[in-house]
Amino acid sequence: MYVSQFRKRSLLPVDAATAFAWHERPGALQRLMPPWEQTQVIRPPNGLAPGTRVELKVRIGPFPKRWIAEHTRYMPAREFQDVQVAGPFAKFEHTHRILPRDEKSSWLEDEIDYAPPGGWLGNYFSGQFIRQQLQRMFRYRHAMTAADLAAHQWGKTAMKVLVTGASGLVGSALCAFLTTGGHEVLRLSRSAPRDANDIPWNPETGDITPARLEGIDAVIHLAGENIAGARWTAKVKQRIRDSRVVGT
């Protein structure tokens, strides 16, 4: 097996404990996935403790591929590691480290030991491409981590936020941003609830459980007909308007 190593280190604008807590919260994985990768989270991780797994659907060229990773090492406020159990690589071990620098900053370090399938021949044909992809991906991941952590410093008081349209392009990204900042996010949902944070809601009839709305600090209303889903005929424009006015 031909094993290569990739490593990237960046400075973060917060202390090590704050940076590590960001990685432990729900939504961190979604915030770290580059949009061009078209990766789908099938089963999100339930924490970072050894034995927990995450299942993804990734694309290798035009072909979908299942990727299962298992967390194998966990050092609170310092590092965690995940290892590919099933996926496109012959070996993929990813160690995430948060290293203290001073009271207001820390180092983020990602270290990956990987081997493409096919031994030396696979490395000969795909080695350079894989390294370029890792460089591009982790430039994005490190920039996103630093930007989110900096943004969260403006509002350190945890809030209880209600979001409609949480499954949309903007809503899903916003929910992940809020949860990694330590906020509790409840989602008004017209579909069957996925977990305890989903609140059933029928905007046409107004059906909702008022008790579930107690203690809400803020409401972000994003629900509405997709404006890019069809040609803007008179009927479609009416649906777009009604989906926003009636729900509000």
Side-chain angles (χ1 to χ4, degrees):
M1 184 184 297
Y2 192 96
V3 179
S4 300
Q5 186 176 87
F6 171 85
R7 181 181 294 174
K8 182 172 177 61
R9 175 187 273 205
S10 297
L11 185 64
L12 297 178
V14 296
D15 63 90
T18 301
F20 196 88
W22 184 92
H23 285 83
E24 289 193 288
R25 293 180 182 131
L29 177 61
Q30 184 176 346
R31 294 298 291 167
L32 293 174
M33 292 191 302
W36 64 82
E37 290 290 336
Q38 297 182 331
T39 300
Q40 181 182 355
V41 180
I42 304 300
R43 183 176 60 179
N46 184 23
L48 304 178
T52 58
R53 290 189 173 192
V54 57
E55 182 176 350
L56 309 172
K57 184 168 73 173
V58 300
R59 299 198 72 84
I60 309 299
F63 306 105
K65 181 74 174 179
R66 187 177 66 155
W67 187 323
I68 299 176
E70 180 175 312
H71 290 108
T72 55
R73 188 165 72 240
Y74 175 80
M75 297 174 59
R78 179 56 63 92
E79 75 173 53
F80 61 98
Q81 182 186 73
D82 55 81
V83 174
Q84 176 193 277
V85 176
F89 286 87
K91 174 186 176 74
F92 197 95
E93 294 182 358
H94 182 186
T95 303
H96 316 245
R97 296 189 182 95
I98 306 294
L99 307 173
R101 181 174 181 263
D102 54 38
E103 293 181 354
K104 295 184 178 180
S105 63
S106 56
W107 294 104
L108 169 62
E109 183 177 275
D110 285 283
E111 181 180 288
I112 300 173
D113 294 316
Y114 65 94
W120 70 268
L121 192 61
N123 184 71
Y124 178 81
F125 284 106
S126 63
Q128 183 64 24
F129 173 76
I130 292 172
R131 178 162 290 274
Q132 290 174 347
Q133 291 298 102
L134 288 173
Q135 289 171 344
R136 185 186 183 200
M137 176 187 292
F138 281 90
R139 276 198 303 269
Y140 175 89
R141 290 176 65 131
H142 281 222
M144 178 63 72
T145 304
D148 275 16
L149 286 168
H152 289 313
Q153 299 312 296
W154 289 95
K156 294 186 177 181
T157 301
M159 300 177 66
K160 190 174 184 178
V161 183
L162 181 69
V163 179
T164 73
S167 62
L169 180 65
V170 175
S172 58
L174 176 63
C175 289
F177 172 77
L178 291 172
T179 54
T180 52
H183 303 289
E184 180 183 358
V185 176
L186 300 179
R187 302 175 295 264
L188 280 186
S189 176
R190 289 171 288 181
S191 305
R194 296 169 297 174
D195 55 45
N197 289 333
D198 277 357
I199 301 175
W201 172 51
N202 187 328
E204 296 180 357
T205 63
D207 289 344
I208 197 170
T209 305
R212 294 295 309 276
L213 306 182
E214 293 183 4
I216 296 294
D217 297 304
V219 177
I220 302 175
H221 185 29
L222 299 173
E225 183 82 12
N226 185 355
I227 63 173
R231 184 171 175 269
W232 277 35
T233 63
K235 187 176 181 179
V236 169
K237 286 190 285 186
Q238 186 64 45
R239 287 207 310 266
I240 291 173
R241 179 186 181 279
D242 290 347
S243 68
R244 286 153 175 79
V245 174
V246 174
T248 302

